[in-house]
Amino acid sequence: MPLSWFAVILLTLYILSLLWPRWSSQRRLSKRSEDFRRYAAMTRGYVFHGSPQARPWTNGLRPPFGRLVFRNFLERVNVHSDIRYEHALEFIRHGRRVRISEASIFVRRLNTSYFWDKIEHRVEIQALRAPTMWVTPLKRSDWYDALPPVPLPEPYASQMSIHSDAPDFVARALPAFEVLARRKKHLPYSFQVERGVLHYATSGPATEETVTLTVDALVAFLDRLCGPAVGQHQFAAALATLPQREYPDPSGFARGMEFTSYALWLFSLIFSVVGTIAG
């Protein structure tokens, strides 16, 4: 076999190793879409597909995969797609509007040829009248220094850390802390409240079992903190004021390498065909 054809075969195998995970990714996407529709039927909600309908409400405040998108060059080398907003589900839970948005990004495991879909589900809950805050169920004194810490009495001080722009107001809401302490096993690792929306991110599946209990715990917390939810018209007006933002594509280098591979494959193929005809 001529050396040029051997190079074509090697490049073809390499390109197939790049394309096959993408084809498999489409099958997994269809499965997740069906999961969203099933969950929507349980909650009597509505499903949205594709950007911009599937973007989170707070997308302009916090990017999906924030640490991955904004890390250094060496981290982005393994990212092979732009951020994709796949699905979103909206429903009403105990008078509060809830949105679950799915974003994904196609990445390669470091120093391997294994590709996978990194998925983030952002859960957002209507939280008008609640002050800005950052809550973690873990005791961390250095967790978030952009907001002043809220002094908590025991036993809450040893169970959680809260930072807020209204520490005095939050510190007086002891029944709200009681809800968090009582339902601690259902809480996310951390959550934020800003611009009238409580939100947190999770990489796990968005199902009734994994989301509903957490949403119920956080809704009960909000009800104790600032009273029942206000009207949906007021919340819709608040959502209209949230900033919109486009984030940089973290896959530029990896896509450039893929394009180079395709170009080399095409050049090798043409060279081999011409050489075979001429020979």
Side-chain angles (χ1 to χ4, degrees):
M1 179 186 297
L3 184 62
S4 58
W5 281 108
F6 184 70
V8 169
I9 292 173
L10 287 180
L11 282 170
T12 300
L13 292 175
Y14 175 70
I15 288 173
L16 287 176
S17 73
L18 295 176
L19 294 178
W20 175 251
R22 296 185 185 276
W23 296 332
S24 300
S25 175
Q26 290 302 312
R27 293 199 301 270
R28 293 191 294 271
L29 176 61
S30 298
K31 172 64 168 57
R32 297 199 303 273
S33 178
E34 179 61 30
D35 290 342
F36 262 70
R37 286 193 291 269
R38 188 180 302 112
Y39 191 21
M42 295 178 182
T43 59
R44 299 181 180 179
Y46 300 92
V47 177
F48 306 91
H49 298 284
S51 182
Q53 290 83 5
R55 293 193 179 199
W57 293 326
T58 55
N59 187 69
L61 300 175
R62 307 283 173 183
F65 314 105
R67 294 192 303 169
L68 184 63
V69 171
F70 292 107
R71 276 184 177 177
N72 58 35
F73 170 77
L74 294 178
E75 294 286 345
R76 295 196 301 271
V77 165
N78 295 309
V79 179
H80 285 254
S81 76
D82 198 357
I83 299 171
R84 300 169 297 186
Y85 301 92
E86 310 285 14
H87 323 284
L89 163 66
E90 282 194 27
F91 58 94
I92 302 295
R93 192 72 176 174
H94 303 302
R96 293 186 184 270
R97 196 166 154 193
V98 179
R99 184 177 179 91
I100 306 171
S101 304
E102 179 183 285
S104 68
I105 199 167
F106 199 57
V107 298
R108 184 179 67 184
R109 289 193 186 277
L110 190 63
N111 299 323
T112 71
S113 59
Y114 178 70
F115 291 82
W116 63 301
D117 290 308
K118 186 175 179 63
I119 297 172
E120 177 183 295
H121 290 116
R122 186 174 303 185
V123 181
E124 299 165 302
I125 305 173
Q126 175 182 344
L128 279 185
R129 299 189 298 187
T132 300
M133 66 176 67
W134 190 311
V135 181
T136 172
L138 303 178
K139 178 59 180 172
R140 290 281 299 275
S141 59
D142 60 342
W143 177 254
Y144 188 66
D145 57 8
L147 294 171
V150 176
L152 298 176
E154 291 293 350
Y156 311 117
S158 59
Q159 298 180 30
M160 65 191 76
S161 292
I162 300 180
H163 291 72
S164 175
D165 63 351
D168 293 337
F169 170 81
V170 176
R172 292 192 298 268
L174 292 182
F177 304 137
E178 192 175 319
V179 170
L180 294 182
R182 190 170 61 249
R183 305 194 187 188
K184 186 176 180 179
K185 66 178 181 179
H186 300 308
L187 295 180
Y189 180 72
S190 67
F191 64 88
Q192 298 165 256
V193 182
E194 52 187 333
R195 304 287 292 270
V197 180
L198 183 153
H199 61 91
Y200 70 92
T202 176
S203 58
T207 65
E208 185 179 23
E209 295 78 11
T210 59
V211 173
T212 304
L213 291 175
T214 301
V215 168
D216 286 348
L218 294 174
V219 166
F221 164 72
L222 290 171
D223 287 346
R224 292 294 186 91
L225 179 69
C226 53
V230 298
Q232 296 301 325
H233 292 296
Q234 293 168 273
F235 184 59
L239 290 180
T241 67
L242 293 177
Q244 303 297 318
R245 183 178 177 186
E246 295 292 334
Y247 295 102
D249 182 354
S251 65
F253 179 81
R255 286 184 174 183
M257 292 297 293
E258 285 188 31
F259 177 80
T260 301
S261 300
Y262 301 149
L264 286 173
W265 175 80
L266 182 61
F267 175 79
S268 299
L269 181 62
I270 293 174
F271 180 81
S272 299
V273 170
V274 171
T276 300
I277 294 174

